[in-house]
């Protein structure tokens, strides 16, 4: 299938353009003409690869989640192979979740999750996304030896996403996420990440 790679590349460009548009101006701004212009493809290419806007939004959401899952799988694997501790893992999670510069593209998944609340056709994709997050959270917590990892997974995901949203809205530092993860995994008696260094100042 000689055309498979170019076709996949064009599909990827379209999805990336959709995520950029949503991040910049919301779901309502997604039109085929704007996608084509943003992706640098023909209008016909957009409709060829995605018959409906629902297909576009669903595939964009799932693509984002798969990329997130890949990052967090690497983190989970590192926890298992390197035997790193809770504090190091929390710091790594903070880097993965908040390591990129604040920009409108990071708003796209939140826009899509909100849109799924309004459009039931996207809810299964959103549910699939959260199942993936939960599985990865459980894997990371298990690798760290955290008790009740399965039970804590959904709460951990909620904390990470909530603090990501707070960071996007307020510009709060990534350290807030690290401290929250330590609190969740080690309990309120745990010293927040970086607290010892701050106390020495």
């Amino acid at each position: 299938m000689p055309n498979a790679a170019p076709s996949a590349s064009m599909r990827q460009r379209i999805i990336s353009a959709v995520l950029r548009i949503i991040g910049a101006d919301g779901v309502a701004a997604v039109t085929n003409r704007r996608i084509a212009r943003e992706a640098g493809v023909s209008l016909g290419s957009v409709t060829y690869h995605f018959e409906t806007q629902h297909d576009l939004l669903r595939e964009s959401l799932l693509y984002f989640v798969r990329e997130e899952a890949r990052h967090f799988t690497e983190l989970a694997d590192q926890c298992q192979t390197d035997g790193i501790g809770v504090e190091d893992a929390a710091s790594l999670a903070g880097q993965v979740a908040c390591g990129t510069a604040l920009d409108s593209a990071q708003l796209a998944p939140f826009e899509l999750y909100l849109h799924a609340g309004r459009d039931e056709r996207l809810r299964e994709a959103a549910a699939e996304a959260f199942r993936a997050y939960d599985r990865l959270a459980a894997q990371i917590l298990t690798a760290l030896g955290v008790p009740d990892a399965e039970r804590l997974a959904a709460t951990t995901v909620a904390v990470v996403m909530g603090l990501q949203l707070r960071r996007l809205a307020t510009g709060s530092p990534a350290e807030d996420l690290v401290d929250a993860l330590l609190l969740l995994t080690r309990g309120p008696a745990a010293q927040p990440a970086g607290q010892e260094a701050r106390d020495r100042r």
Side-chain angles (χ1 to χ4, degrees), residues 3-15 41 49:
N3 292 328
S7 178
S9 175
M10 185 172 294
R11 189 179 177 89
Q12 172 62 53
R13 284 162 60 189
I14 292 169
I15 287 174
V41 300
H49 287 284

Side-chain angles (χ1 to χ4, degrees), residues 12-34:
Q12 172 62 53
R13 284 162 60 189
I14 292 169
I15 287 174
S16 297
V18 169
L19 290 171
R20 288 194 300 272
I21 293 166
I22 292 172
D25 297 309
V27 172
V30 176
T31 65
N32 287 350
R33 289 188 182 281
R34 182 163 177 187

Side-chain angles (χ1 to χ4, degrees), residues 91-107:
S91 178
L92 281 172
Q95 292 171 30
V96 171
C98 302
T100 57
L102 287 171
D103 59 35
S104 61
Q106 292 182 275
L107 290 170

Side-chain angles (χ1 to χ4, degrees), residues 72-157:
F72 278 95
T73 297
E74 291 171 0
L75 173 59
D77 290 344
Q78 185 172 347
C79 289
Q80 289 179 321
T81 57
D82 296 351
I84 63 177
V86 172
E87 290 190 13
D88 289 336
S91 178
L92 281 172
Q95 292 171 30
V96 171
C98 302
T100 57
L102 287 171
D103 59 35
S104 61
Q106 292 182 275
L107 290 170
F110 292 100
E111 291 274 358
L112 284 166
Y113 290 132
L114 286 173
H115 194 69
R118 302 183 187 102
D119 185 346
E120 63 182 19
R121 295 172 300 172
L122 283 176
R123 287 181 190 166
E124 181 51 39
E128 181 179 339
F130 278 96
R131 285 193 296 267
Y133 287 139
D134 290 350
R135 283 194 302 271
L136 286 165
Q139 183 182 351
I140 292 170
L141 294 172
T142 299
L144 292 171
V146 175
D148 298 321
E150 294 284 342
R151 186 171 62 86
L152 284 174
T155 303
T156 303
V157 170

Side-chain angles (χ1 to χ4, degrees), residues 24-70:
D25 297 309
V27 172
V30 176
T31 65
N32 287 350
R33 289 188 182 281
R34 182 163 177 187
I35 294 166
R37 186 171 64 249
E38 183 79 21
V41 300
S42 69
L43 187 59
S45 295
V46 177
T47 55
Y48 173 79
H49 287 284
F50 302 95
E51 290 186 10
T52 68
Q53 189 180 68
H54 165 67
D55 293 335
L56 265 170
L57 297 178
R58 179 182 182 281
E59 289 304 311
S60 297
L61 175 57
L62 291 177
Y63 168 77
F64 174 83
V65 170
R66 289 182 193 117
E67 285 299 296
E68 287 282 279
R70 182 176 60 81

